[in-house]
Amino acid sequence: MKIVDIKTRTFKYKTNHVRDSEGHGHPGPEHDATQTLLTIVTDEGPAGYAFGVNPAIAEQIFKPALVGEDPFYREKLWQRLKHWQRIHRNLTDNVIGVADMALWDLAGRCFDQPVYKLLGGYRDKVLAYASTMCGDEEPGGLSSPDDYARFAEWCIQRGYKAIKLHTWMPPIAWAPDPKMDVKACAAVREAVGDDIPLMLDCYHYYSREQALYIGRELEKLNYYWFEEPMDEHSTSSYAWLAEQLDIPVVGPETAEGKMYTRAEWILRGAADILRGGVGDVGGITPLMKTVHLAESFGMAMEVHGGGGGNLQVLGAMGIPGEFYERGLLHPFIDYDEVEPWLHSKIDAMDDEGYVHLPQGPGLGYDINFDYIEENSVETGK
Ligand code: MG
């Protein structure tokens, strides 16, 4: 089998997600947005699909790198794309990850199996945690510790067995504020009781002393992990923090460097629980390497973010990976609403709080090709 073409199709949809001046997502007025589908076309019929590609990079890099190659040589093709990054600095790990996921999707479709079974299946369902949006200033949204507490109660009613707060960040004028973060964490603990695992992912550029203060307060509140309170480029700061705290520090999430950076974090003792997602490290191929790295050091690893790629890796993880990150959630957004370009939710959650691994072939996306065709904003390449 050979790859004969790389296609992209950009299409419109309506959303009420908006981004603030620091890039964080919030609810807002409905408006048009676009999404892009990547298709890897083969000479024998089956195709591989993934969402979120940059069309220009697909044309300029994926085509010369992939066309003419055997699509089952995923390791070779991933290494090749990694090499392109030396010169093409806009070829981010996130973008490489889309190509890698489309290749895994193609393999799954060829063998009529979900990707996690090709990787080596371990489980068919994963417990989810409710991952909130960042704090805001919308009354009844996430504007106060009490808002977080009321939303946490709703999450428990919905079936979630664990909750992670993202708290207030700039551009809110008074944010960040370590004391307010702790107040929100305390209000949620008070609301849900002692038995629910709770996690905090706060402002990402606190000082060492601020991070240590928050971490010690989280220990008193019996929080389950503490995530990214400082710039992750400073491995030394995380080693300093993890040394002093009992609560597990989880990371790195956004630091560049794929599994290499994560190996250094392990050696430095900078995290107690390793972290990474398909968008952080460049796809399923390097995320599985990261999983095995964690396993080799006897460490737990928590997968960052949702979607088909992360879910399939969770289905193949023989070490915890305890949770699937479901969200981001907000009182004003219906996360369970199916995206218009899909026929069903990839991460539907049952009343017990489990997300079941999709049993369809590949990544498991049940794609609504008619919607994509009807809402296309450019001629497919
Ligand atoms: Mg995070």
Side-chain angles (χ1 to χ4, degrees), residues 164 166 201 227-228 253 275 304:
K164 189 173 84 184
H166 291 93
D201 190 357
E227 184 174 325
E228 206 181 347
E253 176 173 298
R275 188 131 172 98
H304 168 219

Side-chain angles (χ1 to χ4, degrees), residues 105-325:
D105 186 63
L106 173 61
R109 288 169 187 272
C110 288
F111 295 110
D112 197 24
Q113 291 289 330
V115 167
Y116 78 103
K117 291 190 176 173
L118 298 187
L119 291 166
Y122 183 79
R123 54 183 161 180
D124 300 318
K125 62 180 183 178
V126 184
L127 202 58
Y129 66 83
S131 190
T132 76
M133 284 187 165
C134 299
D136 52 43
E137 296 182 291
E138 300 290 329
L142 295 172
S143 70
S144 66
D146 191 56
D147 275 354
Y148 275 93
R150 301 292 80 76
F151 189 50
E153 286 168 350
W154 178 88
C155 290
I156 298 302
Q157 272 183 354
R158 169 64 183 87
Y160 288 102
K161 301 291 189 241
I163 300 170
K164 189 173 84 184
L165 290 74
H166 291 93
T167 44
W168 299 277
M169 307 186 190
I172 292 173
W174 55 264
D177 182 335
K179 291 209 159 128
M180 280 295 285
D181 289 350
V182 171
K183 279 184 187 166
C185 289
V188 170
R189 172 55 79 208
E190 169 86 24
V192 303
D194 289 335
D195 296 335
I196 298 291
L198 295 173
M199 297 79 92
L200 174 66
D201 190 357
C202 57
Y203 180 58
H204 311 299
Y205 303 99
Y206 278 129
S207 69
R208 289 186 181 193
E209 295 297 343
Q210 288 170 321
L212 182 61
Y213 159 75
I214 296 169
R216 285 186 170 148
E217 294 300 313
L218 293 183
E219 288 171 353
K220 294 177 200 163
L221 294 167
N222 192 29
Y223 266 53
Y224 199 58
W225 79 58
F226 186 23
E227 184 174 325
E228 206 181 347
M230 304 176 292
D231 193 318
E232 287 187 341
H233 294 100
S234 176
T235 311
S236 295
S237 294
Y238 278 90
W240 179 90
L241 183 68
E243 169 73 21
Q244 296 180 80
L245 289 177
D246 292 327
I247 184 173
V249 173
V250 59
E253 176 173 298
T254 56
E256 303 86 347
K258 308 177 179 67
M259 60 280 180
Y260 307 105
T261 300
R262 285 151 181 86
E264 299 301 329
W265 271 55
I266 293 172
L267 290 178
R268 292 289 307 279
D272 303 290
I273 299 173
L274 206 62
R275 188 131 172 98
V278 288
D280 305 315
V281 298
I284 290 169
T285 299
L287 190 55
M288 286 306 295
K289 297 180 189 202
T290 310
V291 168
H292 297 151
L293 173 70
E295 183 177 11
S296 303
F297 280 89
M299 285 179 78
M301 181 182 143
E302 284 297 326
V303 170
H304 168 219
N310 286 320
L311 191 51
Q312 296 290 342
V313 168
L314 279 163
M317 284 175 74
I319 56 163
E322 192 169 356
F323 296 109
Y324 174 81
E325 180 169 14

Side-chain angles (χ1 to χ4, degrees), residues 16-27:
N16 64 346
H17 282 70
V18 295
R19 297 225 169 248
D20 65 30
S21 61
E22 297 255 340
H24 309 117
H26 300 283

